[in-house]
Amino acid sequence: MMIPLVALIRKDLRLFLSDRRAVIMSFVAPIMIAAFFGYIFGGNGGKTETSRIAVLVVDQDTSAISRAIFADLAANKSLDVKASEPDPAREAVRKGTATVAVVLPKDFGASAGRAFFRTENKPEIALLYDPSHSAEQGMVQGILTGSVMQVVSREMFNGTTGQAVVRESLSQIDRSSGLAPADKRSLHDLLQSVEQWNERAQAAGASGQTGLSTGLTVPYRIREEAVTARTGVQYNGYAHSFGGMSVQFILFMGIDVGIGVLLQRQRGLWKRLRAAPISRGLLLGSRAISAAMISMLILLVVFGVARIVFGVRIEGSMPGFLGVCVAFSLMTAAFGLLVAALGKTPEATRGLSIFVTLILVMLGGAWVPAFIFPQWLQTVTMFVPTRWAMDGFDAMTWRGLGFSAAIGPIAALLGSTAVFGALAVSRFRWEAEG
Amino acid sequence: MLEVKDLRKSYGSTVAVDGVTFRIAKGETVGLLGPNGAGKTTTVSMIAGLLRPDSGEVLIEGRPLGGDSDPIKRRIGLVPQDIALFDELPARDNLEFFGALYRLDGAQLKRVTSEALDLVGLADKAREKVRNFSGGMKRRLNLAAALLHDPDILLLDEPTVGVDPQSRNAIFDNLETLKKRGKTLLYTTHYMEEAERLCDRLVVIDHGKVIADDTLHGLYRLLPVTNILSIELETANGGLRLEDVRAVSGVRSAEVAEGVLRVGVHDLSTGAPGILQWLADTGHLYTHVASERPDLETVFLNLTGRSLRDS
Ligand SMILES: Nc1ncnc2c1ncn2[C@@H]1O[C@H](COP(=O)(O)OP(=O)(O)OP(=O)(O)O)[C@@H](O)[C@H]1O
Ligand SMILES: [Mg+2]
């Protein structure tokens, strides 16, 4: 019993490892594709930089204010800011190499200061944007508004431009005849207070900060947090993609197991195996065991690389993770035997079973996470075993859930193993024909 | 040793084997002969327990096969018609794997593997992957893979198909060695000359039925003509009339071409003196006489009315 079993398993493992195509498909392909998917779907949480919006700033003013606005935009981590000239900037947006171009016109600083206290003659900032990126345009506009408000107000309450503007505005108000006397007095008082404030600030000068030294700022700050089950754990695109691609390529390996049996049948090897005094259970059982072992090996290697290179951690229960691995490996083995039982010729079987596998993998949420599926699809895919594998891996990796969250997926996968296995054994053609 | 009783097997509407019965005594070499599609492989598969017969039974040492892991399977060695080896593994590893299926291991497995490699002359290629073997070498290894567990009965399904004459001879030498060691061989082929060289007895099947089961001599006796005498005449048909020749007692057929008279006789001991005496009596002198037998090809043609090769 043991000698043939060990020989059969050893033979399967050796044949797998000596097949370069199989090894590349099972180890290299999932790692590379998962790295790619993980990278474009958000990488490992907050740590990676989301791609920054390319912004060109055309400063035709070169005043203290326009330079400060430029500096403030450049300091924003969502933006990738470069200085430019009007025509090249327009060209860049047209070509799509820049998403938004901001044009600060000549005399912007002075006119913005004046417009700060009065409604007439507001200067115009031109915002050239790529229409396919209107969301980014909105974002840049928001950031720009904040910057301009902060810089202009700071200048009004501190800077030299501010003092000149306040003085000029004062005399203009005094001369004005259009204003009601009461409003005129109030405005005059306000500006005079600002002037006095500025003079005092000037005198304090070197000695330190005044309350408005940073200008007016947005009266709130946003704390961003992606919600996961455990605080401090973040969605990790790599965790999901490595789970997904392991599932996909391990199922491909399972198909190869089934095809291998069909090839053995075609090449007469099956006759040799059947002529030997070994039971059917041993023949199929050994194939299932070796397939599950290969699957475990792939999972451990792929998740090992994910851990070392991409920082994917088993944030949840390690026994739970291993349980999902074992259950999924057994399901893969049963799936492989099912392919062997239902397949006729190797060629025809390969095409069809790869198609079926890709559908299973897609519905399982290996490509895009199932949580973005519409509700009906989420419900329907509860009957797809790969969905349970994915949910199990997600739960044990980035969601950071405990062992109890692995029980459902493990049970569902073992259930599928039983169904596939029973179907495979009942439909298996034991006779070695012809 | 091996007894096959009224085996039948159909694939859908194709009747592959239609009531085949024969037995093989210990140490005997029996040829299973028939054209393509005659049902030879199907018969062998049923004997080896790979295929369940629709009816009939196979007895090995008087008892039927008990099940998949029946130890009596160890008495049988199967050489499949296809080359059933793992291309990606070295020769030795292939053999060790097949040996392990019969629960051999350790030093014993190493020993029988080396012996089998020696027998088929592949000892120096033991570490080479089968993928790099020539067709003839693969055939020889295919034979070796059936010998590891030292079976008493060897079922050989066209073990020489598609190989060069040199490898064919090597395989024949191996089979003769095995025969001398007392093995029982069932040798499937559609090559007459192979069967003639190796087999003690021949079972001829066609369309799934046994159409003859006899020794070589016995099969020849079935023919209307067992010998053909070629007689070179001194004077090219100097007035010889074939009707007169055919009328001679013991002569079954007669034809003449380029000064050679060919006369078919059924019984050499009475036919040959009869015709030679008649020629002398009628004044037809001859310079050379030779006798030749018809081959199995002719036997098959006579049995089925079809040629073995192109049927
Ligand atoms: N798996 C199968 N399905 C359907 N028909 C089959 C199958 N195997 C064999 N047959 C048919 O059964 C008949 C006997 O086939 P078998 O292989 O036993 O012949 P054979 O004598 O071994 O021929 P060959 O000399 O070509 O090897 C043939 O008509 C063949 O077409
Ligand atoms: Mg055949």
Side-chain angles (χ1 to χ4, degrees), chain A residues 219-238:
Chain A
Y220 57 85
R221 195 181 298 163
I222 292 174
R223 181 174 56 83
E224 293 178 43
E225 183 187 337
V227 177
T228 56
R230 213 166 69 180
T231 47
V233 171
Q234 289 176 315
Y235 174 70
N236 185 326
Y238 287 117

Side-chain angles (χ1 to χ4, degrees), chain A residues 1-12 14-15 18-19 264-283 430-434, chain B residues 9 11 41 45 48-52 68-71 73-74 78-80 82-90 93 97-98 100-105 129 142-143 145-146:
Chain A
M1 173 75 186
M2 277 319 278
I3 298 171
L5 180 65
V6 171
L8 283 161
I9 292 173
R10 238 172 67 103
K11 176 262 302 173
D12 291 338
R14 284 191 63 186
L15 289 179
S18 69
D19 181 351
Q264 285 187 356
R265 200 188 277 285
Q266 202 176 51
R267 290 165 57 192
L269 276 159
W270 189 247
K271 290 187 182 176
R272 277 237 152 91
L273 297 175
R274 293 287 289 136
I278 50 181
S279 68
R280 300 172 183 205
L282 194 63
L283 263 183
W430 289 101
E431 302 207 323
E433 295 120 355
Chain B
K9 179 78 189 178
Y11 295 108
T41 298
S45 291
L50 310 179
L51 211 54
R52 186 192 297 278
D68 288 315
S69 40
D70 189 337
K73 276 181 159 181
R74 300 181 62 98
L78 173 69
V79 179
D82 317 278
I83 291 171
L85 299 165
F86 295 101
D87 277 345
E88 304 78 9
L89 298 184
D93 301 44
F97 169 69
F98 292 118
L101 294 183
Y102 291 84
R103 289 170 177 67
L104 303 172
D105 73 342
K129 285 187 178 175
N142 201 39
L143 170 63

